[in-house]
């Protein structure tokens, strides 16, 4: 199943949940993921991009060689969430214990600032990473080469390369 299909299924499941219930859990059951439990506990409520980070965690846990391929850490600053809220995520894709956590990382190899909506669009292939960067929709600090490996973390799908 392509990334866009997974994302569409997750977004549909989130829309069908009764009010208030969507904040309690991640819609991981539609992806068949069992590894996202650590992310679920503290995921920022109401952010559409939560599913993107769940997918990254699933990919890192199901493909042990992926951490070696990416070999870096990311700090994500997500803007434009519910009621203008912001969130931070840390993705460590190196070493024997890769992780995805909804917390601030003090020293990341690459820091990406992007809106909630644009991260979902990037993951689903609606926008291309290079054009998002060039148009100012995505800001990158640190290792630009590492930012180009972001597509590998998001998994196969109809995305353009960054």
């Amino acid at each position: 199943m392509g990334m866009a299909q997974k994302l569409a299924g997750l977004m549909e499941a989130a829309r069908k949940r009764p009010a208030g219930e969507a904040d309690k859990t991640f819609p991981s059951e539609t992806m068949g993921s069992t590894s996202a439990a650590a992310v679920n506990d503290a995921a920022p409520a109401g952010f559409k991009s939560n599913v993107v980070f769940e997918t990254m965690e699933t990919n890192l846990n199901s493909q042990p060689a992926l951490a070696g391929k990416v070999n870096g850490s990311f700090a994500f600053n997500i803007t434009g969430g519910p009621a203008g809220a912001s969130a931070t995520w840390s993705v460590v894709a190196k070493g024997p214990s890769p992780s995805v956590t909804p917390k601030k990382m003090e020293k990341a190899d690459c820091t990406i600032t992007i809106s909630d909506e644009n991260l979902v669009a990037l993951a689903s292939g609606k926008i291309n990473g290079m054009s998002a960067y060039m148009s100012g929709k995505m800001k990158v600090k640190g290792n630009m080469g590492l930012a180009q490996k972001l597509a590998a973390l998001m998994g196969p799908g109809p995305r353009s390369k960054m």
Side-chain angles (χ1 to χ4, degrees):
M1 183 182 315
M3 181 67 163
Q5 290 172 322
K6 289 179 186 177
L7 189 58
L10 290 170
M11 295 304 289
E12 183 62 29
R15 275 193 286 278
K16 289 181 179 179
R17 290 178 185 238
E21 194 173 311
D23 294 344
K24 294 179 185 172
T25 60
F26 243 42
S28 61
E29 61 273 5
T30 60
M31 287 182 64
S33 171
T34 57
S35 63
V39 173
N40 293 347
D41 294 334
F47 280 78
K48 295 175 186 176
S49 60
N50 287 350
V51 295
V52 176
F53 293 103
E54 181 180 2
T55 300
M56 286 185 202
E57 183 180 43
T58 299
N59 290 340
L60 283 168
N61 288 333
S62 66
Q63 302 170 43
L66 184 59
K69 179 180 176 184
V70 175
N71 195 31
S73 60
F74 296 88
F76 285 88
N77 297 315
I78 309 300
T79 62
S86 295
T88 56
W89 285 84
S90 299
V91 177
V92 178
K94 61 182 175 182
S97 302
S99 64
V100 178
T101 54
K103 65 178 185 178
K104 185 176 182 177
M105 178 183 288
E106 294 303 319
K107 192 163 186 165
D109 299 323
C110 180
T111 301
I112 296 175
T113 302
I114 189 168
S115 73
D116 189 41
E117 182 180 318
N118 286 332
L119 183 57
V120 172
L122 180 68
S124 65
K126 292 182 181 174
I127 63 172
N128 153 316
M130 186 57 74
S131 64
Y133 175 76
M134 297 301 279
S135 66
K137 292 180 180 180
M138 177 173 69
K139 295 179 182 164
V140 179
K141 290 183 182 174
N143 187 339
M144 185 67 81
L146 190 58
Q148 293 176 331
K149 295 179 181 181
L150 186 58
L153 285 174
M154 292 183 188
R159 263 183 319 287
S160 298
K161 298 220 184 233
M162 287 180 65

